[in-house]
């Protein structure tokens, strides 16, 4: 029984890491631009499929590096051509636009690569269990946790130690003042959107090695990512990270005792947090 619980807790931690990585990108975009990006899951799927297309030419490691970058470039283009036109309008417009984009991305991947799941080759030495007793501790699972940790640390380094990151943080508090001080807000929003989409692309490459490659992979992860933002607190990136890990572990533990409630538990957790602390666990007072 102990082994089963440990397995599901660790598996929940892995899934929670995906939620957190996606939710951090969503939160970045929402905090600065006020865009509720329902297409985020579609960008995740595109990242996975781009990695699949690059795999025969550059190998796993090349695909891991290049696919998120290409996904971010696509995000820069989408923001420049479509989303930029909706800034300053009712957030419902951007929500509807990205909702439509999500369906376009899903049908596009289905049209190009087919509706059936595709195999994604992970290096064989990463798939081997590290222990005969704890068979679920494979190299790839630990590798995913490591990469997510590096990505999160890199994101917080950018936001706290670079000029771009400091401007993004300032813009989330008062974008008009940042503009008056001479910062090109259009470029700032574009770079911030690309950074958020990069995280989605990276999550996509990691996810396909664990969850499999299929057109609906993004849509299955998008709602838990929004829940992670709400649980952690709107406007708080550390809270978003905490929220993603908490709902992942909660789902994993629930699988052991109440398998039918695996998906429902995250919404129950969200409701409980909002009842006790309406702004989320680490959300800022008055934010949004």
């Amino acid at each position: 029984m102990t082994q089963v619980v440990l397995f599901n807790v660790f598996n929940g931690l892995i899934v929670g890491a995906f939620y957190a990585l996606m939710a951090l990108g969503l939160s970045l975009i929402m905090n600065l631009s006020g865009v509720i990006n329902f297409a985020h899951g579609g960008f995740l799927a595109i990242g996975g499929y781009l990695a699949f297309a690059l795999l025969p030419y550059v190998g796993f490691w090349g695909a891991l590096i290049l696919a998120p970058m290409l996904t971010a470039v696509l995000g820069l283009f989408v923001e420049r051509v479509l989303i930029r036109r909706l800034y300053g309008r009712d957030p419902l417009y951007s929500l509807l636009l990205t909702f439509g984009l999500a369906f376009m991305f899903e049908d596009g991947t289905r049209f190009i690569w087919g509706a059936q799941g595709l195999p994604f080759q992970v290096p064989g030495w990463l798939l081997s269990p590290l222990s005969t007793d704890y068979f679920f501790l494979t190299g790839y699972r630990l590798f995913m946790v490591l990469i997510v940790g590096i990505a999160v640390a890199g994101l917080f380094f950018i936001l706290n130690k670079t000029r771009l990151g400091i401007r993004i943080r300032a813009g989330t508090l008062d974008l008009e003042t940042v503009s008056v001080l001479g910062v090109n807000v259009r470029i700032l929003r574009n770079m911030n959107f690309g950074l958020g989409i990069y995280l989605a692309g990276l999550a996509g490459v990691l996810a396909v090695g664990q969850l499999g490659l299929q057109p609906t992979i993004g849509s299955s992860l998008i709602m838990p990512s929004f829940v992670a933002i709400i649980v952690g607190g709107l406007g708080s990136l550390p809270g978003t990270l905490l929220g993603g890990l908490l709902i992942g572990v909660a789902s994993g533990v629930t699988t052991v005792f109440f398998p039918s409630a695996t998906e429902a538990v995250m919404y129950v957790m969200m409701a409980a947090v909002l009842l006790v602390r309406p702004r989320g666990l680490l959300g800022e007072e008055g934010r949004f």
Side-chain angles (χ1 to χ4, degrees):
M1 186 62 181
T2 302
Q3 193 177 57
V4 173
V5 172
L6 286 175
F7 167 74
N8 283 281
V9 168
F10 190 78
N11 195 56
L13 183 64
I14 296 293
V15 176
F18 292 145
Y19 295 160
L21 201 57
M22 275 194 71
L24 283 171
L26 277 169
S27 188
L28 268 178
I29 296 168
M30 191 184 305
N31 291 347
L32 182 64
S33 303
V35 173
I36 303 172
N37 184 21
F38 260 100
H40 211 69
F43 283 110
L44 179 145
I46 287 176
Y49 276 102
L50 286 175
F52 174 79
L54 291 169
L55 192 65
Y57 305 100
V58 298
F60 173 78
W61 302 107
L64 180 63
I65 295 171
L66 293 177
M69 293 182 178
L70 294 175
T71 308
V73 170
L74 176 61
L76 294 174
F77 176 79
V78 168
E79 191 277 339
R80 174 66 180 84
V81 174
L82 296 175
I83 295 180
R84 181 176 296 183
R85 303 173 186 273
L86 302 179
Y87 292 144
R89 299 189 181 183
D90 191 312
L92 181 63
Y93 288 101
S94 61
L95 188 151
L96 292 174
L97 172 64
T98 56
F99 191 71
L101 281 174
F103 284 105
M104 291 174 63
F105 288 154
E106 184 175 321
D107 286 345
T109 54
R110 186 179 287 110
F111 176 78
I112 297 172
W113 286 284
Q116 303 300 319
L118 296 173
F120 186 78
Q121 298 284 337
V122 175
W125 60 273
L126 282 176
L127 298 176
S128 302
L130 301 181
S131 169
T132 55
D133 293 328
Y134 301 104
F135 60 92
F136 50 87
L137 287 175
T138 63
Y140 187 70
R141 288 172 179 264
L142 294 180
F143 170 76
M144 286 188 294
V145 173
L146 175 64
I147 293 297
V148 170
I150 292 173
V152 171
L155 173 64
F156 282 97
F157 175 83
I158 291 172
L159 293 176
N160 289 283
K161 300 297 183 180
T162 68
R163 180 174 297 181
L164 172 64
I166 293 172
R167 288 176 174 177
I168 289 173
R169 290 169 56 209
T172 60
L173 298 175
D174 193 338
L175 194 60
E176 290 184 5
T177 301
V178 170
S179 177
V180 170
L181 291 174
V183 176
N184 190 321
V185 171
R186 287 189 172 186
I187 294 178
L188 184 65
R189 279 171 161 165
N190 189 251
M191 296 301 294
N192 179 73
F193 194 90
L195 182 59
I197 298 304
Y198 174 85
L199 295 178
L202 178 61
V205 180
L206 295 174
V208 296
Q210 176 68 23
L211 305 177
L213 188 61
Q214 52 190 348
T216 58
I217 185 173
S219 59
S220 65
L221 294 174
I222 185 67
M223 287 309 297
S225 301
F226 279 114
V227 173
I229 294 175
I230 295 170
V231 170
L234 292 172
S236 172
L237 294 182
T240 298
L241 176 62
L242 176 63
L245 295 176
L246 282 177
I247 64 173
V249 173
S251 297
V253 173
T254 304
T255 302
V256 180
F257 303 101
F258 306 102
S260 59
T262 301
E263 293 186 9
V265 68
M266 67 181 69
Y267 300 104
V268 173
M269 179 181 293
M270 179 180 70
V273 169
L274 291 178
L275 285 173
V276 176
R277 192 177 175 85
R279 64 179 183 267
L281 295 176
L282 300 179
E284 302 172 12
E285 187 75 39
R287 186 70 176 171
F288 292 96

